[in-house]
Amino acid sequence: MAPIVRRSVSLKALNSFGVEARAERLVELRDAADLPASLALLREHPPALVLGGGSNLLFSRDPPGTVLRVMLAGRRLLDERAGEVLVEAAAGENWHAFVGWTLELGLNGLENLSLIPGSVGAAPVQNVGAYGVEVCECFDSLDAVSLSDGAVRRFDAADCGFGYRDSVFKRETGAQWLITAVRFRLSRAPRLRLDYGELRDELRARGVTSPGAREVADAVCAIRRRKLPDPAEIGNAGSFFKNPVVDRARAERLAEAHPGLPLYPGGSPATAKLSAAWMIDRCGWKGHRDGDAGVHDRHALVLVNHGHASGAQILALATRIRESVRQRFGIELEPEPSVV
Ligand SMILES: Cc1cc2nc3c(=O)[nH]c(=O)nc-3n(C[C@H](O)[C@H](O)[C@H](O)COP(=O)(O)OP(=O)(O)OC[C@H]3O[C@@H](n4cnc5c(N)ncnc54)[C@H](O)[C@@H]3O)c2cc1C
């Protein structure tokens, strides 16, 4: 079967910022059997951009070459031993629907990651994380195809080089991989992660004293619906900047110079994570608007499209924010979404 190829396609509805960009060629990959033909098209019309749900991307211009939209579907339980369960989902599955399916099966592990927009295939790309959990903690392995030579490879967690909102798939500029399926190791027994104060407060407010994974997922969804702007109402890609990780001595000097600057664990005793939102807010950006490109009025980390902003305008605003944080705090902010 031949893959579906469309020419000169608007990507406005395919990115959560809702910015206009046109793909010269858009290949819709719905069936793994179409992979060889799709890869041939990518090689014929480079460069290639792999697109999932478009919720962690900013199109600052029209992407050249070919956009490959991953729409592979399917999920299955592969193995169960001593309460540990291996499940697999194709890359094009909707992440939140997949998490809901694992909960229906009575599986524990992904509940804190409920309601993150996007696809299963993109989840390992930036090691998605929320409410004290990162996806690498339940990750088993993934299958990927090299866009350059079609080689198929299985990656385990060590191969993926997971870090904070990071993996080899985000870092590597040379090799480009198309993730086709991801496997997760979940458990029948609860392994609740309630370190996040806001989550504990929400459960308490709901009168839940001994929560299971379902109650935790419901609480996470309630907090997210209350707190985060819905891309269907206002274009955004969630947090636009990562929280910078710096060495602990430097973080403590900064906190002394700027009382109130929140410091979080940095992943090792020698490091600390700084609150990017706090620094951006201190630079006066919360609620700021440059035409239709803006900073959300309740979330300094979330850049928004009030309607007709272009990706270039949002990027220009992000650049001004980065410059002001650099000048005031000497800290380089790094964007979380991929900028095309
Ligand atoms: C309102 C909102 C809230 C969010 N909250 C969170 C949050 O709490 N935590 C968090 O971590 N993220 C969050 N995000 C960011 C986003 O949801 C995640 O990064 C998500 O995993 C992106 O999935 P996607 O399918 O939309 O990826 P896309 O935006 O389509 O792609 C993102 C990157 O992954 C690559 N990619 C996508 N699919 C594949 C594939 N199959 N193979 C290889 N590369 C691929 C793309 O080329 C691109 O570089 C939020 C976004 C929004 C809009």
Side-chain angles (χ1 to χ4, degrees):
M1 225 172 82
I4 298 166
V5 185
R6 296 193 285 138
R7 300 291 302 267
S8 185
V9 181
S10 169
L11 299 171
K12 194 174 165 73
L14 301 184
N15 72 95
S16 63
F17 262 121
V19 298
E20 186 54 273
R22 290 197 93 74
E24 245 169 75
R25 267 179 201 75
L26 179 79
V27 178
E28 291 184 353
L29 179 64
R30 292 171 188 270
D31 188 333
D34 293 342
L35 255 173
S38 303
L39 296 181
L41 267 166
L42 296 187
R43 282 196 288 271
E44 220 177 298
H45 306 284
L49 172 71
V50 179
L51 181 65
S55 63
N56 208 27
L57 275 176
L58 176 62
F59 290 112
S60 67
R61 61 185 174 116
D62 292 341
T66 307
V67 175
L68 179 71
R69 188 173 175 214
V70 183
M71 301 173 82
L72 299 169
R75 49 202 185 196
R76 56 193 177 136
L77 194 152
L78 290 176
D79 191 25
E80 175 155 7
R81 263 172 236 202
E84 197 175 65
V85 182
L86 187 64
V87 295
E88 181 185 76
E93 286 284 329
N94 174 272
W95 174 259
H96 178 61
F98 167 66
V99 173
W101 176 77
T102 65
L103 293 171
E104 274 163 32
L105 292 178
L107 303 179
N108 296 269
L110 296 176
E111 55 275 10
N112 292 45
L113 304 177
S114 299
L115 215 58
I116 295 180
S119 60
V120 167
V125 172
Q126 79 149 0
N127 183 22
V128 291
Y131 300 96
V133 172
E134 289 181 326
V135 80
C136 63
E137 294 167 53
C138 294
F139 177 88
D140 176 78
S141 55
L142 63 79
D143 295 333
V145 180
S146 159
L147 294 185
S148 51
D149 61 11
V152 176
R153 181 174 160 194
R154 181 166 288 209
F155 287 74
D156 64 17
D159 298 328
C160 292
F162 290 121
Y164 162 61
R165 299 292 186 276
D166 199 25
S167 76
V168 288
F169 305 103
K170 214 168 168 181
R171 281 194 297 270
E172 258 175 36
T173 43
Q176 217 189 339
W177 294 95
L178 163 64
I179 296 166
T180 54
V182 190
R183 282 170 293 277
F184 302 89
R185 209 161 271 287
L186 305 176
S187 65
R188 287 280 170 206
R191 42 178 174 182
L192 298 182
R193 296 287 301 277
L194 303 175
D195 342 332
Y196 211 83
E198 209 178 348
L199 185 50
R200 289 197 304 274
D201 293 347
E202 178 67 27
L203 288 164
R204 206 172 302 125
R206 294 168 158 247
V208 180
T209 46
S210 51
R214 169 63 69 187
E215 286 76 26
V216 172
D218 289 346
V220 166
C221 290
I223 301 171
R224 293 186 72 101
R225 288 201 176 99
R226 207 167 48 232
K227 272 184 60 178
L228 293 172
D230 180 355
E233 285 162 19
I234 184 162
N236 74 91
S239 301
F240 195 88
F241 297 105
K242 294 186 191 181
N243 286 322
V245 177
V246 299
D247 74 69
R248 180 150 279 282
R250 184 173 176 209
E252 280 165 4
R253 279 198 305 276
L254 268 169
E256 225 175 276
H258 303 278
L261 170 63
L263 303 186
Y264 310 116
S268 79
T271 59
K273 207 184 272 174
L274 309 173
S275 166
W278 191 90
M279 292 188 282
I280 295 168
D281 192 13
R282 280 303 143 118
C283 292
W285 289 106
K286 203 191 266 180
H288 177 89
R289 214 172 148 158
D290 280 349
D292 271 356
V295 180
H296 196 273
D297 55 7
R298 279 176 292 126
H299 304 283
L301 263 191
V302 180
L303 300 195
V304 293
N305 177 5
H306 284 285
H308 300 286
S310 67
Q313 286 166 333
I314 292 170
L315 188 60
L317 175 59
T319 304
R320 290 179 58 206
I321 293 171
R322 290 177 77 180
E323 273 165 19
S324 69
V325 168
R326 187 188 306 123
Q327 269 175 23
R328 182 150 179 191
F329 298 96
I331 291 290
E332 195 64 49
L333 291 182
E334 199 186 320
E336 192 177 298
S338 309
V339 177
V340 179

